[in-house]
Amino acid sequence: MRVLIVEDETLIAERLAQELTQAGYAVDTAADGERADFLAYSGDYDVVLLDLGLPKIDGLTLLRRWRGAGLRWPVLILTARGSWHEKVEGIDSGADDYVAKPFRVEEVLARVRALIRRASGAASVELHSGALTLDVRTARVTLAGEPVKLTSYEFRILSYLLHHRDRVVPRTELIDHIYAQDFDRDSNTVEVFIARLRRKLGPACVETVRGLGYRIGAV
């Protein structure tokens, strides 16, 4: 899953990026509204963490602009604890949730997981496909109850496919969601990661739909 953090306080942005990366997300960051606006139209995100008090373009203006342009990914607002009017205005402008500063990173991660689940129609923190289970809260994967160790990119691919298990995911979409913006992307590596998943989880875990992309299979 791919996350955009829009936050001008360096320490907060770095802490969030570190924790999200360790949790298995591909992370992009922007310290001002102009950079955030550029990334929003050049990337495809699963959730955006948006501070409201930004240099150059403020967060509410960005949010209204994005929603007006039809960008539909979930937005979690980061706001000062006492700014209740900003929370209301943010929700009315198209935000999906908010967290007040100062916050615990664990709460932000929980809200990110919930927004991604909600966007994909998943109600539980556990995603299933036959004997395969992925717990998005703990980043733990099990097959028939036995733990399976995956690399970061193997986990990202499996997680994205499980979150979108009812459709075929094009390769380009998969690439957009497992790599950060500044990463040197090679579409051939996706096939390598999927081959590794098949070795670890069984050949039927990921189906290749010729000419269209990939779909999670029954394990």
Side-chain angles (χ1 to χ4, degrees):
M1 295 296 175
R2 192 172 171 195
V3 179
L4 173 61
I5 299 171
V6 186
E7 170 62 67
D8 65 326
E9 295 186 47
T10 303
L11 291 179
I12 293 177
E14 289 179 349
R15 176 74 189 284
L16 286 172
Q18 180 183 25
E19 294 292 335
L20 284 162
T21 300
Q22 289 179 353
Y25 297 91
V27 179
D28 294 329
T29 60
D32 62 68
E34 285 186 0
R35 175 65 176 168
D37 205 32
F38 170 78
L39 290 175
Y41 289 102
S42 60
D44 194 1
Y45 296 97
D46 295 287
V47 65
V48 175
L49 278 56
L50 178 64
D51 184 32
L52 297 184
L54 296 169
K56 299 184 179 180
I57 306 175
D58 68 88
L60 284 176
T61 298
L62 283 176
L63 183 55
R64 294 186 184 114
R65 181 181 298 179
W66 294 341
R67 292 312 192 216
L71 300 180
R72 301 176 61 86
W73 17 247
V75 172
L76 172 64
I77 285 180
L78 310 176
T79 183
R81 185 173 297 278
S83 302
W84 63 266
H85 60 285
E86 287 188 343
K87 301 171 188 175
V88 173
E89 195 170 1
I91 297 295
D92 285 343
S93 297
D96 299 271
D97 198 1
Y98 68 86
V99 64
K101 298 178 182 178
F103 50 73
R104 294 189 66 88
V105 174
E106 293 83 357
E107 179 184 0
V108 175
L109 291 175
R111 291 180 182 273
V112 166
R113 292 192 297 265
L115 288 173
I116 291 174
R117 290 201 313 272
R118 193 180 308 156
S120 65
S124 171
V125 296
E126 291 189 346
L127 305 176
H128 299 276
S129 178
L132 176 66
T133 300
L134 185 150
D135 189 322
V136 298
R137 181 187 55 231
T138 62
R140 178 182 170 88
V141 176
T142 58
L143 182 62
E146 295 298 321
V148 180
K149 187 175 182 179
L150 301 180
T151 67
S152 174
Y153 286 108
E154 290 166 3
F155 178 84
R156 291 178 189 180
I157 288 174
L158 182 63
S159 177
Y160 194 81
L161 291 175
L162 281 168
H163 274 93
H164 301 85
R165 58 173 301 169
D166 294 328
R167 65 182 181 88
V168 176
V169 178
R171 180 188 298 182
T172 53
E173 179 180 337
L174 203 52
I175 292 170
D176 281 341
H177 285 265
I178 67 169
Y179 293 120
Q181 178 72 19
D182 57 356
F183 193 86
D184 185 15
R185 305 174 182 192
D186 181 356
S187 63
N188 292 326
T189 59
V190 171
E191 295 179 354
V192 173
F193 295 140
I194 288 176
R196 291 179 184 172
L197 284 172
R198 287 168 175 158
R199 285 198 296 269
K200 294 179 179 181
L201 303 174
C205 70
V206 179
E207 300 175 7
T208 299
V209 182
R210 190 174 298 277
L212 295 177
Y214 301 101
R215 176 171 55 203
I216 199 71
V219 181

